[in-house]
Amino acid sequence: MQRKPTLLNTTLSENTATLTLKVDASLEDFKGHFPVFALLPGVTQIDLAVRYARDTLGINGTFGGMEVIKFQDPILPNATVDLTLTWHPDKEKLHFSYQSGTTAHSSGRVTLRQAQ
């Protein structure tokens, strides 16, 4: 059972990571969402953004909410997408966006509260 896309490339800078992902058709999250027109669920896109941010940017925070979440164009099975993650530690916010070339798939901000 495959739970994460295939990671093709990662580019890191101070508080930003750009990951190129192949969203394999075998991902468990495609099953049943939707049977006739499979697409990567929005909740999966947000979960993957947070998981990859923890892995690549070393963010350790508890979920504190979401803002301006937009789903513009479906991510289909076997698509190759760029996931850009930008961490703003002063605001405790993770900005994410999924893109394929000039096509914007989704974007938003997730609050990850740091331990005091």
Side-chain angles (χ1 to χ4, degrees):
M1 170 172 30
Q2 188 174 351
R3 297 296 303 177
K4 287 170 74 173
T6 300
L7 180 60
L8 301 175
N9 189 48
T10 304
T11 305
L12 295 172
S13 61
E14 187 174 343
N15 286 321
T16 301
T18 301
L19 298 90
T20 301
L21 307 169
K22 180 173 185 273
V23 188
D24 307 279
S26 58
L27 282 176
E28 189 68 24
D29 296 71
F30 280 121
K31 293 181 181 173
H33 197 88
F34 297 94
V36 177
F37 184 74
L39 56 88
L40 191 65
V43 69
T44 300
Q45 294 176 46
I46 296 166
D47 179 63
L48 288 171
V50 171
R51 286 208 263 155
Y52 282 118
R54 291 182 195 284
D55 292 348
T56 59
L57 299 173
I59 301 168
N60 294 317
T62 57
F63 180 80
M66 298 181 292
E67 301 173 346
V68 294
I69 305 296
K70 297 178 186 174
F71 298 102
Q72 295 122 309
D73 198 62
I75 298 175
L76 304 176
N78 293 317
T80 298
V81 298
D82 290 320
L83 168 58
T84 302
L85 304 166
T86 304
W87 174 239
H88 298 275
D90 55 325
K91 298 176 183 174
E92 297 184 320
K93 293 194 189 290
L94 171 68
H95 292 222
F96 73 89
S97 67
Y98 288 87
Q99 255 185 251
S100 297
T102 60
T103 301
H105 294 287
S106 63
S107 62
R109 293 189 297 259
V110 177
T111 301
L112 296 170
R113 305 210 186 283
Q114 302 299 291
Q116 300 295 325

